[in-house]
Amino acid sequence: MASADSENRPGTQEAIPQAVKIIVAGGFGAGKTTMVASVSEITPLSTEEVMTEASQGVDDLGGVENKTTTTVALDFGRITINDDIVLYLFGTPGQDRFWFMWDELVEGALGAVVLADTRRLDTCFHAVDFFERRGVPFVVAVNRFEGAAVYETEEVREALDVSAGVPVVMADARERESSKEVLVALVTHIIDSRRPAMSG
Amino acid sequence: MSAEGRHARRLTDRGTDSSTDGNEPRPDDGREDAEYERFLRPYAVDVGTAEAVPPTTAGTTGPADLDLLALVMAARTPGRHEWLRPERETILNHALRARTVAELAAEVGLPVGQVRVMVAEMVADGSLQRCGPSRPLGRQDILHAVLVGLRSL
Ligand SMILES: Nc1nc2c(ncn2[C@@H]2O[C@H](COP(=O)(O)OP(=O)(O)OP(=O)(O)O)[C@@H](O)[C@H]2O)c(=O)[nH]1
Ligand SMILES: [Mg+2]
């Protein structure tokens, strides 16, 4: 046990938890920040990333000139799982032009949640494509907004063309319990899809 | 929309990759352009990122080695070194326990890229030390623990 005054001294040998992450992706305004906030134990933190010169060169293809830097806000929340593990939830930047950040964001991630906004399902195609291509396990969480057409999960699955193995669940990102269920569905899916087939 | 839709879209996007340099104006078709951009970026930027990464001397920590979840901890209390460098003082005060680079960036309110450079310098001058988990776990153990933890939230 550490002595009484050691707690506030730097370098104190206190157990250091492993940091792991899950990505919350989806189109602009799909509810990413809301979902991160609803399950996070802290008010979501925000950091900024500045676009580099190299990235800017690519961005110029879009015709944006005379810009040297652009900042992108990254939201993230935290869930202490136990003494050994802290889970971070990172929301992807909503704007399409910040795709280049996804590479770093998904590096080492356990998996991802794709929030599908029923008012504009097409806005999450890119996230689905990205995770499929990278082999990042994901679930689709269908966020039902007021006034939006009501879809069955199977209709959404068909519209998004995700394989039968990918869970598609209904969600309300504003509800902690619902967001928690989505994360449980994701982790269950990751565990199941990693388990080697035993029967056969 | 049919299942074919997304794949068709994907193929079209790939097609435009070689047929346009992106400078051609495309009136009335902002969406098409946006889609094109989204598909281009993940590939094109890989290269840029790699080039932007400064070479690191073996055995030392450079900014490029510090990902968002890299853990660092204060190796000393703030002192004269932090005179007129409030961000560093903030970092040291916040890193009494192991902290991720992302958390430190949020805490000092500076872009992650800048904080990475700062943290790398502080590791180099001995103010901060990089640390790993006390009990590193395998991926399966992590997943099962995360599942239990989430369920009991
Ligand atoms: N009805 C309903 N509204 C929601 C839900 N999730 C989010 N909202 C609302 O939708 C709006 C946008 O939510 P955000 O969480 O900011 O969306 P975002 O994906 O982070 O947006 P960007 O970061 O700008 O792309 C907010 O006003 C939320 O209150 C949901 O599940 N149901
Ligand atoms: Mg947001």
PDB file of all heavy atoms in Angstrom, chain A residues 18 98 130 139 156:
ATOM      1  N   GLN A  18      -5.136   0.171 -18.828  1.00  0.00           N
ATOM      2  CA  GLN A  18      -4.946   0.121 -20.271  1.00  0.00           C
ATOM      3  C   GLN A  18      -6.041   0.974 -20.921  1.00  0.00           C
ATOM      4  O   GLN A  18      -7.205   0.893 -20.541  1.00  0.00           O
ATOM      5  CB  GLN A  18      -5.081  -1.327 -20.725  1.00  0.00           C
ATOM      6  CG  GLN A  18      -4.733  -1.541 -22.165  1.00  0.00           C
ATOM      7  CD  GLN A  18      -4.201  -2.952 -22.409  1.00  0.00           C
ATOM      8  OE1 GLN A  18      -3.910  -3.691 -21.461  1.00  0.00           O
ATOM      9  NE2 GLN A  18      -4.078  -3.319 -23.654  1.00  0.00           N
ATOM     10  N   PHE A  98     -13.155  15.833 -43.352  1.00  0.00           N
ATOM     11  CA  PHE A  98     -12.153  15.412 -42.379  1.00  0.00           C
ATOM     12  C   PHE A  98     -11.946  13.905 -42.342  1.00  0.00           C
ATOM     13  O   PHE A  98     -11.546  13.323 -41.349  1.00  0.00           O
ATOM     14  CB  PHE A  98     -12.502  15.961 -41.003  1.00  0.00           C
ATOM     15  CG  PHE A  98     -12.542  17.454 -41.009  1.00  0.00           C
ATOM     16  CD1 PHE A  98     -13.631  18.133 -40.515  1.00  0.00           C
ATOM     17  CD2 PHE A  98     -11.487  18.178 -41.556  1.00  0.00           C
ATOM     18  CE1 PHE A  98     -13.667  19.520 -40.558  1.00  0.00           C
ATOM     19  CE2 PHE A  98     -11.509  19.558 -41.601  1.00  0.00           C
ATOM     20  CZ  PHE A  98     -12.606  20.238 -41.099  1.00  0.00           C
ATOM     21  N   PHE A 130     -16.050   2.378 -45.081  1.00  0.00           N
ATOM     22  CA  PHE A 130     -14.735   2.530 -44.462  1.00  0.00           C
ATOM     23  C   PHE A 130     -14.439   1.367 -43.518  1.00  0.00           C
ATOM     24  O   PHE A 130     -13.380   0.740 -43.596  1.00  0.00           O
ATOM     25  CB  PHE A 130     -14.674   3.855 -43.692  1.00  0.00           C
ATOM     26  CG  PHE A 130     -13.323   4.161 -43.100  1.00  0.00           C
ATOM     27  CD1 PHE A 130     -12.368   4.840 -43.836  1.00  0.00           C
ATOM     28  CD2 PHE A 130     -13.014   3.753 -41.807  1.00  0.00           C
ATOM     29  CE1 PHE A 130     -11.117   5.118 -43.295  1.00  0.00           C
ATOM     30  CE2 PHE A 130     -11.765   4.023 -41.259  1.00  0.00           C
ATOM     31  CZ  PHE A 130     -10.821   4.705 -42.009  1.00  0.00           C
ATOM     32  N   VAL A 139     -21.275  -2.174 -35.542  1.00  0.00           N
ATOM     33  CA  VAL A 139     -22.721  -2.384 -35.535  1.00  0.00           C
ATOM     34  C   VAL A 139     -23.349  -1.118 -36.085  1.00  0.00           C
ATOM     35  O   VAL A 139     -22.741  -0.042 -36.045  1.00  0.00           O
ATOM     36  CB  VAL A 139     -23.292  -2.648 -34.116  1.00  0.00           C
ATOM     37  CG1 VAL A 139     -22.740  -3.941 -33.533  1.00  0.00           C
ATOM     38  CG2 VAL A 139     -23.040  -1.475 -33.181  1.00  0.00           C
ATOM     39  N   VAL A 156     -33.336  -1.209 -42.981  1.00  0.00           N
ATOM     40  CA  VAL A 156     -32.104  -0.425 -42.898  1.00  0.00           C
ATOM     41  C   VAL A 156     -30.923  -1.288 -43.352  1.00  0.00           C
ATOM     42  O   VAL A 156     -30.055  -0.846 -44.106  1.00  0.00           O
ATOM     43  CB  VAL A 156     -31.875   0.103 -41.464  1.00  0.00           C
ATOM     44  CG1 VAL A 156     -30.525   0.795 -41.352  1.00  0.00           C
ATOM     45  CG2 VAL A 156     -32.999   1.046 -41.066  1.00  0.00           C
TER      46      VAL A 156
END
